[in-house]
Amino acid sequence: MSSEKTPIPAGSNFIRAIIEKDLSQNKYATKKWAGSPGDAAHQDTGVVDVAKIRTRFPPEPNGYLHIGHAKSIFLNFGLARDFDGICHLRFDDTNPEKESQEYVDSISDAVKWLGFGWDNTSETNLYFASNYFDLMYRAAESLIETGHAYVDEQSADEMRINRGTLTEAGKDSPYRSRSVADNLARFREMRDGKHADGSMVLRAKIDMASPNINMRDPAIYRVRRAHHHNTGDQWCIYPMYTFAHPIEDALERITHSICTLEFEDQRPFYDWLLERLAEAGLLAHPLPKQYEFARLNLTYVVLSKRKLIQLVEEKHVSGWDDPRLPTLAGARRRGYTPAGFKLFTDRIGVSKADSWIEYSILEDCMREVLNTDAERRIAVLDPIKLVIDNYPLDSDGKSQSEDCFAPNHPLKPELGKRTVQLTKELWIEREDFMETPSKGFFRLTPGGMVRLRYGYVVKCTGCEKDADGNVTVVHCEYLPDTKSGTPGSDSVKVKGNIHWVSVAHAYEAEVRLYDRLFKEAHPGEGDRDFLADINQDSVKVIKTQLELSLKDAKAEESFQFERHGYFVADKKDSVAGKPVFNRTVTLRDAWQK
Ligand code: ATP
Ligand code: MG
């Protein structure tokens, strides 16, 4: 056999490589699954699991999902899809304090929006960790019974001091050698509400001298009188995350438990705990294994739930779905698409080393996807009137109107062309006219010629101004033989090509021009308050003149506004026949220096 390593194919990553190896070794070939989460006895009543692997996405319902979570969603659900497996959506709701139904709903919506679900052929894989409180409690008693846990009554300060440091071993608690019967009685008292919050904890009994501080008798249950959104006041003790999470994985028969790097030091406890519970017969082999990958860090945004909550609660933004926020609800309103996120996660890959990803990479991905997917439309964002003085009037004195044909998508001729009306009075962009042109300006200027896109070549004859010298109307004359798409139309060569909308056929609409919420790549870096880095010009609301067909845009429909960028009909503020548009991303990156 060759000793050469098999190269990992493109689009692959170290986690895929692990799964491929596990499957080739039939590691899970006899794993049983009873159709629902449960202990060893329950799973033993089942059949060999049809899911080749099981992964899970385990958000805590204490906030909205953000772009970092999208990476985890594509990874976990994507792996399950690619390897004939199943990915569970599990609400990790074992912490009673900050969780709510609003968060549960928004998380479910975001997962579905990205194209994933939990209704599989034979079962529905949507779980709440709080439904396992009974089993977690039994697991804790089992640890006590096997001599692997004890109730500690040291104060929090004593516990911290006796934990030791990176260079110094910890000291055993004076309660560490209590009898099993004593511990069991105390723990039941904790459960029965006989002890005050914070007065004692249940700790795993491992090794106070371990070089890994997480193995120095970690706390696994605490007394906390708090109302839980699912279990109400049934419990006054709650499991610690590091105890609950491995058990949740095992009860759901997860094979590959994928988490972010900060949990690497917890892996020894993860394995220790599950081994002990398997020895006691509570959990079945094969046990889940934890694998860590680098979390997504993105410039120009904050991805910490605490900071996102602060931005929302202190009203620096309009809500969780503010289009400037990196929440998935915000990104969706901004016009970012699931396909764009997919491209992004593929492009950045999965690695074992923390790094920063440039926000412009995400924007490029959205541009790429929208360039392919979005139809083109014409929009005048900063309108000024252009009058074609020699354009014919009808006998009743009104301007004639004629059809011009604009392609819906230059890369997809099969999408055809649509009709836009040309009339004597048009809206054009203010910046497409200059009375005294700067060098290299090839658009409208007195005496100069441009093509009205999909229409005629016009020659500028001058402008009108108000008392302050601001240009109010631009005048021109058209060259009748130059209409786009007619024979000989290009006999007159011009350098400029500008877009326009007929005044009589325009839809006056509100458009929001969004920019980055933070002006610094690393908000709050050093000792700066991240709020001080907020970009005060991150949104501009403007009145625009759009081609009439945009009046019928449906909520969440995306378009390229020619020469401007990609825009989406806002999901929240649009009403039928009166959509408002959000700028998703410009055509080019304006932040690149
Ligand atoms: P916290 O634990 O502070 O509430 P969190 O961001 O870890 O916040 P969770 O709800 O625990 O939020 O996250 C659910 C899953 O998403 C976890 O498996 C976590 O590892 C993953 N995740 C969270 N943030 C990122 C990120 N920036 N990049 C990749 N994955 C992430
Ligand atoms: Mg977390």
Side-chain angles (χ1 to χ4, degrees):
M1 265 185 76
S2 135
S3 62
E4 249 175 66
K5 273 205 203 136
T6 326
I8 297 176
S12 192
N13 60 54
F14 74 98
I15 296 176
R16 283 176 179 270
I18 288 167
I19 294 174
E20 278 160 11
K21 184 155 167 264
D22 288 344
L23 292 179
S24 73
Q25 295 177 347
N26 291 324
K27 219 164 149 180
Y28 304 106
T30 56
K31 176 173 66 94
K32 281 186 169 179
W33 168 248
S36 59
D39 61 8
H42 173 70
Q43 299 302 355
D44 203 42
T45 64
V47 293
V48 169
D49 196 350
V50 293
K52 294 273 188 300
I53 61 167
R54 282 185 189 262
T55 55
R56 85 287 174 265
F57 174 63
E60 187 178 348
N62 62 352
Y64 277 59
L65 295 185
H66 55 61
I67 296 173
H69 293 114
K71 177 176 176 178
S72 180
I73 292 171
F74 276 107
L75 183 60
N76 281 297
F77 282 92
L79 288 170
R81 184 154 69 188
D82 293 352
F83 287 100
D84 262 344
I86 288 181
C87 180
H88 299 183
L89 173 61
R90 178 202 309 149
F91 288 102
D92 205 331
D93 59 349
T94 53
N95 180 7
E97 267 108 6
K98 299 170 198 143
E99 300 167 354
S100 78
Q101 189 61 40
E102 178 193 352
Y103 297 139
V104 169
D105 294 341
S106 75
I107 291 170
S108 311
D109 282 352
V111 171
K112 277 194 249 170
W113 178 62
L114 288 180
F116 299 104
W118 42 87
D119 286 323
N120 293 301
T121 330
S122 52
E123 58 198 45
T124 296
N125 303 98
L126 173 69
Y127 303 113
F128 288 82
S130 57
N131 287 336
Y132 311 145
F133 278 153
D134 280 320
L135 284 159
M136 288 175 191
Y137 179 81
R138 272 179 48 211
E141 285 208 350
S142 159
L143 286 185
I144 295 173
E145 283 160 1
T146 50
H148 293 303
Y150 62 99
V151 173
D152 196 352
E153 293 174 44
Q154 295 184 96
S155 70
D157 274 347
E158 286 168 328
M159 246 183 268
R160 187 170 36 74
I161 292 164
N162 289 335
R163 189 169 294 126
T165 64
L166 285 174
T167 50
E168 244 178 274
K171 286 196 198 68
D172 283 4
S173 160
Y175 301 94
R176 199 173 195 262
S177 48
R178 274 182 152 149
S179 71
V180 166
D182 243 19
N183 278 316
L184 210 49
R186 278 283 161 168
F187 187 51
R188 289 178 181 168
E189 286 172 20
M190 283 169 63
R191 176 199 60 191
D192 296 338
K194 304 261 165 57
H195 298 286
D197 285 15
S199 59
M200 53 187 68
V201 295
L202 184 69
R203 293 177 78 173
K205 191 172 181 177
I206 312 178
D207 178 8
M208 289 305 289
S210 171
N212 181 344
I213 292 187
N214 299 298
M215 295 296 272
R216 294 182 188 170
D217 294 8
I220 58 182
Y221 253 98
R222 63 204 163 120
V223 185
R224 185 85 193 86
R225 283 169 180 75
H227 188 83
H228 188 280
H229 78 106
N230 182 22
T231 55
D233 296 317
Q234 188 190 341
W235 295 91
C236 68
I237 56 171
Y238 289 96
M240 305 298 283
Y241 179 84
T242 49
F243 171 78
H245 199 85
I247 295 176
E248 295 159 20
D249 285 344
L251 295 174
E252 293 179 17
R253 304 240 68 186
I254 299 303
T255 54
H256 301 81
S257 174
I258 300 160
C259 63
T260 42
L261 278 179
E262 68 270 22
F263 292 100
E264 195 168 9
D265 291 344
Q266 293 288 353
R267 188 171 359 109
F269 178 66
Y270 186 103
D271 291 336
W272 179 93
L273 176 65
L274 295 186
E275 286 295 341
R276 296 296 81 74
L277 296 173
E279 276 165 17
L282 203 66
L283 297 178
H285 281 285
L287 295 167
K289 287 282 171 202
Q290 173 181 306
Y291 302 95
E292 308 87 19
F293 72 104
R295 69 192 298 112
L296 171 67
N297 297 306
L298 200 57
T299 58
Y300 293 102
V301 297
V302 294
L303 295 182
S304 134
K305 273 188 199 158
R306 185 179 57 75
K307 289 178 180 167
L308 292 171
I309 288 175
Q310 197 180 343
L311 288 171
V312 173
E313 285 182 350
E314 293 178 5
K315 301 206 180 336
H316 300 286
V317 292
S318 63
W320 281 106
D321 60 356
D322 188 299
R324 294 164 298 176
L325 279 186
T327 54
L328 293 179
R332 178 174 181 176
R333 267 187 81 191
R334 177 72 172 260
Y336 285 16
T337 64
F341 279 117
K342 169 86 171 71
L343 181 64
F344 177 65
T345 49
D346 286 347
R347 196 160 284 174
I348 61 177
V350 180
S351 87
K352 267 233 158 265
D354 268 321
S355 66
W356 283 84
I357 302 292
E358 290 294 330
Y359 196 79
S360 57
I361 295 180
L362 177 62
E363 290 181 316
D364 281 342
C365 291
M366 295 303 161
R367 263 186 210 108
E368 265 182 65
V369 163
L370 289 168
N371 183 39
T372 312
D373 292 352
E375 289 201 1
R376 276 45 173 175
R377 293 291 184 272
I378 302 166
V380 178
L381 300 187
D382 184 12
I384 187 173
K385 210 175 258 185
L386 174 73
V387 180
I388 310 173
D389 290 304
N390 61 340
Y391 197 75
L393 296 178
D394 274 339
S395 50
D396 59 1
K398 282 207 201 117
S399 166
Q400 284 189 8
S401 108
E402 72 183 284
D403 293 347
C404 296
F405 303 97
N408 288 320
H409 202 303
L411 308 172
K412 297 181 181 173
E414 69 276 15
L415 293 179
K417 294 185 176 188
R418 65 192 186 287
T419 309
V420 289
Q421 302 297 315
L422 181 85
T423 55
K424 188 181 182 78
E425 294 196 351
L426 308 176
W427 295 114
I428 61 167
E429 297 291 346
R430 188 173 301 275
E431 63 167 31
D432 282 341
F433 172 76
M434 272 183 105
E435 194 178 14
T436 325
S438 54
K439 200 165 167 284
F441 183 84
F442 297 119
R443 287 164 280 164
L444 275 177
T445 186
M449 292 197 288
V450 295
R451 174 169 295 280
L452 298 177
R453 192 170 277 201
Y454 316 123
Y456 295 92
V457 170
V458 296
K459 180 173 187 171
C460 181
T461 54
C463 65
E464 294 171 38
K465 293 185 206 173
D466 64 14
D468 301 326
N470 299 313
V471 177
T472 50
V473 180
V474 179
H475 288 273
C476 69
E477 289 180 352
Y478 81 121
L479 283 54
D481 293 335
T482 59
K483 187 171 180 192
S484 294
T486 60
S489 64
D490 52 1
S491 59
V492 182
K493 296 268 182 269
V494 291
K495 283 191 170 156
N497 182 321
I498 65 172
H499 63 274
W500 50 273
V501 167
S502 158
V503 169
H505 302 86
Y507 165 47
E508 186 181 271
E510 177 182 314
V511 168
R512 295 85 170 259
L513 302 179
Y514 292 107
D515 202 345
R516 295 181 182 177
L517 185 57
F518 291 97
K519 52 185 194 286
E520 297 293 334
H522 303 278
E525 195 179 32
D527 338 310
R528 268 193 337 258
D529 179 0
F530 80 103
L531 296 175
D533 292 338
I534 288 184
N535 171 12
Q536 298 301 336
D537 290 320
S538 57
V539 58
K540 212 158 92 192
V541 180
I542 56 173
K543 274 268 165 292
T544 63
Q545 300 290 344
L546 311 181
E547 73 166 78
L548 204 54
S549 70
L550 284 168
K551 215 175 155 64
D552 300 321
K554 289 188 286 296
E556 297 202 77
E557 217 176 338
S558 285
F559 301 96
Q560 184 195 93
F561 288 179
E562 291 186 18
R563 295 174 68 207
H564 289 300
Y566 297 96
F567 291 73
V568 67
D570 188 81
K571 156 177 193 275
K572 199 163 181 173
D573 301 332
S574 293
V575 290
K578 210 173 181 329
V580 299
F581 291 89
N582 298 333
R583 183 168 69 196
T584 308
V585 64
T586 52
L587 284 183
R588 273 168 295 277
D589 185 358
W591 282 70
Q592 212 70 265
K593 291 193 183 107

